[in-house]
Amino acid sequence: MKRTKVIDALQSTDFGRNIIVKGWVRTHRSSKAVDFIALNDGSTINNIQVVVDPTTVDADMLKSITTGACLCVTGTLVESQGQGQTVEIQCREIEVYGLCASDYPMQKKGQSFEYMRQHAHLRLRTNTFGAVMRIRHHMAIAIHKYFHDHGFYYFNTPLITASDAEGAGQMFQVTTKNLYRLEKDENGKIKYEDDFFGKMTSLTVSGQLEGELGATALGQIYTFGPTFRAENSNTPRHLAEFWMIEPEVAFIDMNDLMDLEEDFIKYCVKWALDNCKDDLAFLNKMIDKTLLERLQGILKDSFVRLPYTEGVKILEEAVKNGKKFEFPVSWGMDLASEHERYLVEEYFKKPVIMSDYPKEIKAFYMKINEDGKTVQGTDVLFPQIGEIIGGSVREENYEKLMGEIEERHIPMKDMWWYLDTRKYGTCPHGGFGLGFERLILFVTGMQNIRDVIPFPRTPKSAEF
Ligand code: 4AD
Ligand code: MG
């Protein structure tokens, strides 16, 4: 007989049927007349209750079954007598696959997330992490479905690269050189000619530049893969290894770009509400009582569209009226998260798509506005998360783009292929990058980005 997954068993009304379920013990309660074992196999947040008549099984074996043990249970599916579940299993036979040692780190309820992070290899078996990881899966499916249904091609960009897409110098170097015997030339520079790729290479910070090559050939593409940033940001919003979704579209303008950003995020949130009901209900109860309300709220309203210059005016006005910020506000500065939070959480009370930033605080590839001072960049700012998307219309004019590259002293020899798109049939185009884990943070109500990826990579931490 094949095993029945817990998710299917719980939905079955085929009472009296003989079934086999397999999974890990969440709790085991004993009394004289009956034992109750709650079994979970990861297919759903819900457990199936196994009802055991202790006179029918080996007493020592039954006693040895503790939280975390792995079992195969054969029995009859019956309508539940008790409250809290509709079906349960009248146990006939238990096979123990694996007992669980008494020092099992996940047996106590209510452990801190900090503690669980130190046991990230086992935290996946808890209710919270099961829910988060299932939602993460469903979000990945939603993303592929959205783009596929809208005529985007899934396009794979390299992880090892010789160019710094964001020009921010936060790259992890890739080398096969013997670091104990590094040869240098007469100027003290490392010789890369004899390194694996014959040049200096790193892990990518973004697939955008290659994504632009795809979009200017296939029309519209999206990437969905890992990206790496060696920024020493020890915050609940930053990872050194995170997943990014980067659509890139030919013939798009600012308005269409912002429409795409908004429509895409709303689609993902709706997908979660439609497809992750049990897990969201659990998180709403245990982690954040306003989660469902917040997710539904996002779908109702239009996002605010706010040029940077207007945003700065609102912030300056707030300061005049007595609002205290840690950092002063002035045109030209990169807004601090306290400023973004004020606009999103206090002033508008909904997501904000900010646009038209001063060019000095944005990447070299953004299209310069006619004022010569601002660029067609957009950031989508979310309550509690801050920046969830960064995107822009790209500068498609060869001379203007070259001007920026030179002004910023970006090494040209690594950029020739990128510039070719502007030489051969250049076209208006643009796109954005969504941080996958930031989306998962929003959708799950979790507080720390380290708790929405199975094995987080952060400064001084690469365990598991
Ligand atoms: O704003 P960013 O740096 O934009 C780009 O990389 C562009 N090339 C995207 C594009 O236009 N195709 O990053 C995009 C998003 C951010 O808005 C944020 O959600 C996420 O990536 N992100 C991070 N997420 C987790 N940890 C980090 N260290 C992140 N850095 C950026
Ligand atoms: Mg950004």
Side-chain angles (χ1 to χ4, degrees):
M1 196 168 45
K2 260 193 164 158
R3 88 158 163 132
T4 303
K5 278 194 261 161
V6 170
I7 191 170
D8 299 326
L10 289 173
Q11 273 159 19
S12 175
T13 49
D14 196 4
F15 302 121
R17 179 166 70 100
N18 205 14
I19 70 166
I20 296 177
V21 292
K22 304 181 179 189
W24 294 268
V25 175
R26 283 287 206 261
T27 55
H28 179 184
R29 286 184 291 132
S30 300
S31 66
K32 257 205 200 100
V34 63
D35 278 44
F36 295 106
I37 297 172
L39 211 60
N40 187 285
D41 67 358
S43 60
T44 161
I45 185 90
N46 301 309
N47 307 325
I48 193 150
Q49 173 157 284
V50 179
V51 184
V52 189
D53 174 350
T55 61
T56 62
V57 294
D58 181 78
D60 288 340
M61 184 269 287
L62 188 60
K63 225 178 124 199
S64 70
I65 295 174
T66 55
T67 297
C70 187
L71 308 180
C72 169
V73 173
T74 310
T76 315
L77 190 75
V78 297
E79 214 162 346
S80 179
Q81 308 301 309
Q83 281 192 339
Q85 66 276 323
T86 51
V87 306
E88 59 192 26
I89 295 175
Q90 281 293 344
C91 174
R92 209 172 31 258
E93 201 185 321
I94 299 178
E95 183 187 343
V96 176
Y97 282 145
L99 291 175
C100 188
S102 62
D103 58 351
Y104 178 48
M106 292 295 126
Q107 58 194 323
K108 280 212 204 89
K109 286 201 165 139
Q111 299 280 21
S112 73
F113 287 124
E114 178 65 41
Y115 170 87
M116 292 211 258
R117 248 168 256 147
Q118 287 156 16
H119 301 88
H121 57 309
L122 295 171
R123 68 177 181 169
L124 302 168
R125 292 196 204 167
T126 64
N127 284 332
T128 301
F129 285 90
V132 169
M133 292 310 145
R134 278 185 296 271
I135 292 172
R136 192 179 159 104
H137 158 81
H138 281 289
M139 288 296 90
I141 299 296
I143 287 160
H144 283 298
K145 179 146 174 58
Y146 179 88
F147 287 120
H148 175 72
D149 287 354
H150 287 77
F152 287 65
Y153 296 107
Y154 181 36
F155 188 70
N156 301 126
T157 51
L159 300 189
I160 299 173
T161 173
S163 54
D164 182 354
E166 292 302 299
Q170 299 171 321
M171 304 184 82
F172 289 101
Q173 216 180 309
V174 174
T175 180
T176 53
K177 275 185 164 289
N178 182 343
L179 297 181
Y180 290 103
R181 276 194 283 115
L182 262 188
E183 281 174 58
K184 297 188 181 159
D185 66 16
E186 53 278 12
N187 301 318
K189 293 239 164 84
I190 294 165
K191 286 196 272 181
Y192 283 105
E193 299 75 45
D194 58 354
D195 199 357
F196 189 91
F197 295 105
K199 55 165 82 166
M200 185 172 155
T201 51
S202 304
L203 295 176
T204 189
V205 294
S206 157
Q208 178 195 321
L209 302 191
E210 291 90 350
E212 287 185 48
L213 305 180
T216 54
L218 300 166
Q220 35 190 29
I221 61 93
Y222 70 105
T223 72
F224 186 174
T227 43
F228 309 86
R229 293 194 186 178
E231 51 186 335
N232 203 357
S233 308
N234 246 315
T235 82
R237 307 274 170 269
H238 288 89
L239 290 166
E241 177 179 302
F242 64 99
W243 287 64
M244 186 152 50
I245 296 96
E246 295 187 277
E248 191 71 29
V249 186
F251 317 118
I252 200 169
D253 64 13
M254 272 292 265
N255 277 327
D256 290 346
L257 179 65
M258 291 191 279
D259 286 347
L260 179 66
E261 292 170 345
E262 182 168 343
D263 190 52
F264 169 60
I265 296 199
K266 284 182 170 171
Y267 179 92
C268 291
V269 171
K270 177 149 194 325
W271 186 276
L273 285 166
D274 291 346
N275 293 279
C276 309
K277 288 199 173 80
D278 289 354
D279 287 324
L280 286 178
F282 172 82
L283 294 169
N284 192 70
K285 192 167 140 215
M286 304 302 290
I287 302 290
D288 178 351
K289 301 254 180 314
T290 61
L291 175 63
L292 286 172
E293 198 183 308
R294 201 163 58 247
L295 296 182
Q296 276 143 4
I298 288 290
L299 301 183
K300 269 193 246 126
D301 289 329
S302 293
F303 296 1
V304 175
R305 311 237 168 144
L306 181 73
Y308 168 92
T309 303
E310 300 293 311
V312 169
K313 275 190 201 142
I314 293 171
L315 291 166
E316 284 173 338
E317 198 61 30
V319 171
K320 249 191 239 157
N321 293 329
K323 175 79 195 170
K324 296 262 179 295
F325 292 119
E326 192 184 335
F327 298 99
V329 185
S330 65
W331 197 94
M333 65 174 289
D334 209 354
L335 297 183
S337 75
E338 57 173 345
H339 305 131
E340 295 176 346
R341 292 190 79 145
Y342 172 79
L343 291 170
V344 174
E345 288 164 26
E346 289 182 49
Y347 191 85
F348 290 108
K349 297 193 172 62
K350 42 179 152 164
V352 170
I353 309 187
M354 194 173 263
S355 64
D356 302 283
Y357 289 86
K359 80 180 174 100
E360 284 74 21
I361 60 171
K362 288 290 177 191
F364 71 94
Y365 48 69
M366 295 193 183
K367 187 176 172 72
I368 302 170
N369 279 319
E370 272 166 21
D371 62 15
K373 291 193 302 196
T374 59
V375 287
Q376 297 190 6
T378 72
D379 277 2
V380 181
L381 309 176
F382 255 47
Q384 311 201 316
I385 309 297
E387 180 191 333
I388 194 165
I389 278 183
S392 77
V393 172
R394 319 304 185 192
E395 182 55 72
E396 87 269 18
N397 179 284
Y398 182 84
E399 275 75 33
K400 286 189 188 162
L401 183 61
M402 275 302 294
E404 280 310 306
I405 288 176
E406 274 158 22
E407 214 169 276
R408 295 168 195 240
H409 307 292
I410 295 171
M412 273 299 307
K413 70 172 174 24
D414 298 327
M415 286 288 170
W416 63 272
W417 50 271
Y418 182 69
L419 292 169
D420 271 2
T421 54
R422 275 62 171 176
K423 267 201 245 168
Y424 305 120
T426 193
C427 78
H429 65 286
F432 65 81
L434 168 82
F436 189 47
E437 285 74 20
R438 297 211 181 154
L439 174 69
I440 309 298
L441 271 181
F442 180 73
V443 170
T444 58
M446 298 293 284
Q447 297 294 312
N448 194 314
I449 200 162
R450 295 168 177 84
D451 299 332
V452 296
I453 186 166
F455 307 107
R457 296 289 176 258
T458 52
K460 302 280 178 291
S461 169
E463 199 65 54
F464 313 109

